[in-house]
Amino acid sequence: MTKHYAVAIDGPSGAGKSTLAKLCAEALSFLYVDTGAIYRTVGVAVRRAGADPKDRAAVSRLLPELKIAMQYDDSGLQRMYLNGGDVTDEIRCPEISLYASAVSALPEVRAFLLGMQRALARENNVVMDGRDIGTVVLPSADVKIFLTASPEERAQRRYEELQQRGTPARYEDVLRDLRQRDENDRTRAVAPLVPAPDAVEIDTTGNTLEQSFAFLYNTIKERLAQ
Ligand code: DC
């Protein structure tokens, strides 16, 4: 069987994971897998069903019916499909962030998505980003990175991103939601957001994208060569 390489990039939201992971994947010619998008797709399903995303039994009942698929378009964007419908734009709205955060705390949801994430890494060289990739999904990843930045800087980045997407929000609300999600992600009982013991921690506060990319890419190249 051909050896496939895996780079796990974990960290809180807004640390620059998706942008940097995508750039690294392109530079390495690896597949970029945004696992947050997969949790967000479950969030959309729960909202559509009118279920409470914290209600473990209600969410669990929905899971067997869900058909989640992903495809890459010509620009390399990971498009997400829920029961055949394209939800790529819908998953990015702020309300869905909170749904995704709530459903991602449920063990049934994490178990449901584990196989899909592992299968992608079995069949491809991947740069996979998320919260528990280095600790739970791919514990034997070749390289593990834990990417962070201060909450204020992360909120500022998210705020600018929302403006660019044409769905602006108030900075204070973005910061509040981000702190709420950090708290949910760090304190949940299953797969909490913690660095793997063997992860390289990189703080991107105050860095330009170019600086963070150069540092991250060099770190990955060095580790892959070992
Ligand atoms: O990275 P993101 O903001 O798109 O992730 C959405 C939510 O999904 C976030 O609250 C954390 C959760 N998530 C997770 O628990 N595990 C992952 N591997 C990826 C995301």
Side-chain angles (χ1 to χ4, degrees):
M1 209 171 66
T2 338
K3 151 95 183 145
H4 283 119
Y5 292 96
V7 178
I9 304 188
D10 292 303
S13 71
K17 286 190 312 288
S18 5
T19 312
L20 289 166
K22 191 162 189 283
L23 286 172
C24 287
E26 274 163 21
L28 294 161
S29 298
F30 284 14
L31 187 72
Y32 165 55
V33 183
D34 170 1
T35 62
I38 310 177
Y39 284 92
R40 285 168 179 272
T41 302
V42 176
V44 170
V46 171
R47 186 174 68 166
R48 284 187 184 171
D52 173 356
K54 293 200 176 91
D55 183 338
R56 200 166 159 180
V59 174
S60 299
R61 270 198 302 277
L62 294 173
L63 295 175
E65 305 301 318
L66 298 192
K67 291 203 176 44
I68 296 181
M70 46 190 272
Q71 262 176 29
Y72 292 85
D73 68 17
D74 293 342
S75 65
L77 179 73
Q78 175 182 318
R79 302 204 75 87
M80 294 304 307
Y81 297 86
L82 174 63
N83 301 327
D86 189 331
V87 293
T88 312
D89 295 327
E90 192 176 347
I91 61 171
R92 297 298 159 195
C93 76
E95 199 191 346
I96 292 301
S97 300
L98 296 173
Y99 269 80
S101 182
V103 297
S104 70
L106 306 177
E108 290 80 3
V109 172
R110 304 205 73 86
F112 178 71
L113 298 181
L114 192 60
M116 176 178 180
Q117 296 171 82
R118 286 193 175 150
L120 286 161
R122 241 192 332 271
E123 291 152 18
N124 305 277
N125 293 322
V126 291
V127 175
M128 191 175 282
D129 83 21
R131 301 295 189 285
D132 62 336
I133 309 305
T135 49
V136 177
V137 179
L138 306 175
S140 48
D142 301 277
V143 187
K144 297 181 187 178
I145 306 284
F146 195 82
L147 210 61
T148 61
S150 72
E152 292 75 17
E153 182 152 333
R154 291 189 284 121
Q156 181 64 32
R157 291 177 191 165
R158 185 66 91 195
Y159 168 78
E160 286 166 14
E161 195 182 303
L162 288 170
Q163 273 191 327
Q164 275 163 18
R165 278 184 212 282
T167 51
R170 288 177 352 130
Y171 172 79
E172 296 71 37
D173 294 341
V174 176
L175 181 61
R176 191 203 53 224
D177 283 359
L178 182 131
R179 286 192 196 276
Q180 177 66 55
R181 283 211 290 153
D182 278 3
E183 179 69 12
N184 291 353
D185 294 348
R186 288 200 172 109
T187 57
R188 67 185 175 210
V190 274
L193 174 65
V194 282
D198 50 347
V200 183
E201 293 200 39
I202 301 179
D203 186 336
T204 65
T205 310
N207 286 358
T208 62
L209 183 64
E210 290 72 23
Q211 287 167 329
S212 295
F213 171 69
F215 189 75
L216 181 62
Y217 183 65
N218 288 335
T219 306
I220 294 172
K221 286 292 272 187
E222 256 168 41
R223 306 241 151 186
L224 284 177
Q226 278 168 12

